[in-house]
């Protein structure tokens, strides 16, 4: 079994629920990102939106195991204003050199997930090995367990493929 760590940021609890479900189904460990200064109410909501639009990196706290102890991490984050939530942006920006293979799960109300996956890839300097999108409605209705199992299987397959791939210098395409 692969050593995989699930790291989530959750403003409203939806991403945290998804992370707990995934960890429960797979027996994976979980870490959590929180804002150093929590935000609430309408002003807090608008500050979150503004942070995303301006691609700010607010101060955060991470409570979890060191990601490099794992073969891969799954980042679970909401989409804010069609972009990656700013606390997850902070985490990836500050820890990019300490992250193993990365997969991304985006939770959105309507749209923006491809933007978030692309932003994670840009921040890392490499593409995530797998990604998935869940809608808030799907998670809130509890219709996500089968898709989480599928995501986990596809992630394991991606990791297996990476392990079996020859180093670039030994690849026939490199000649």
């Amino acid at each position: 079994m692969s050593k995989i760590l699930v790291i989530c940021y959750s403003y409203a609890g939806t991403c945290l629920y998804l992370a707990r479900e995934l960890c429960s189904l797979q027996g994976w460990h979980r870490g959590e990102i929180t804002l150093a200064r929590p935000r609430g109410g309408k002003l807090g909501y608008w500050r979150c939106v503004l942070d995303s639009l301006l691609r700010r990196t607010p101060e955060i706290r991470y409570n979890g195991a060191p990601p490099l102890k794992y073969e891969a991490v799954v980042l679970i984050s909401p989409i804010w204003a069609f972009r990656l939530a700013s606390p997850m942006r902070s985490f990836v920006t500050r820890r990019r050199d300490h992250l193993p293979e990365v997969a991304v799960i985006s939770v959105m109300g309507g749209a923006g997930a491809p933007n978030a996956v692309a932003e994670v890839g840009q921040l890392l300097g490499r593409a995530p090995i797998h990604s998935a999108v869940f809608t808030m409605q799907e998670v809130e209705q509890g219709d996500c367990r089968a898709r989480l199992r599928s995501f986990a299987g596809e992630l394991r397959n991606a990791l297996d493929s990476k392990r079996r791939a020859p180093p670039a210098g030994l690849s026939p395409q490199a000649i």
Side-chain angles (χ1 to χ4, degrees):
M1 180 184 256
S2 304
K3 282 184 63 178
I4 297 174
L5 175 65
V6 176
I7 300 172
C8 78
Y9 169 75
S10 189
Y11 181 77
T14 308
C15 292
L16 181 58
Y17 172 82
L18 199 63
R20 286 178 176 159
E21 285 292 307
L22 182 58
C23 291
S24 173
L25 289 169
Q26 302 301 318
W28 295 344
H29 296 152
R30 180 173 54 88
E32 191 171 345
I33 299 164
T34 56
L35 285 163
R37 292 186 352 210
R39 302 172 185 174
K42 288 183 182 180
L43 184 59
Y45 169 79
W46 287 110
R47 187 165 171 207
C48 292
V49 169
L50 190 59
D51 281 353
S52 274
L53 288 173
L54 298 176
R55 295 194 171 148
R56 293 179 180 160
T57 54
E59 287 300 313
I60 59 166
R61 291 191 176 101
Y62 171 66
N63 183 21
L68 279 178
K69 288 187 172 186
Y70 295 84
E71 184 177 11
V73 296
V74 177
L75 303 176
I76 302 179
S77 178
I79 301 299
W80 290 348
F82 301 97
R83 295 198 173 139
L84 183 66
S86 59
M88 185 60 76
R89 179 181 303 110
S90 294
F91 179 82
V92 175
T93 299
R94 292 181 180 125
R95 295 184 180 245
R96 72 178 134 233
D97 295 333
H98 303 284
L99 293 173
E101 296 295 342
V102 171
V104 177
I105 294 180
S106 300
V107 179
M108 62 182 193
N115 300 340
V117 174
E119 185 175 352
V120 169
Q122 180 184 15
L123 293 170
L124 290 171
R126 57 190 156 95
I129 61 170
H130 189 49
S131 65
V133 178
F134 289 80
T135 64
M136 287 176 52
Q137 180 180 8
E138 182 179 20
V139 176
E140 289 168 357
Q141 291 176 348
D143 297 338
C144 57
R145 292 177 73 90
R147 290 202 46 229
L148 285 172
R149 282 188 193 96
S150 177
F151 172 86
E154 292 165 4
L155 175 55
R156 283 192 184 100
N157 290 342
L159 288 169
D160 288 345
S161 293
K162 282 197 124 348
R163 276 189 231 109
R164 287 192 305 263
L170 300 178
S171 170
Q173 289 83 11
I175 298 175

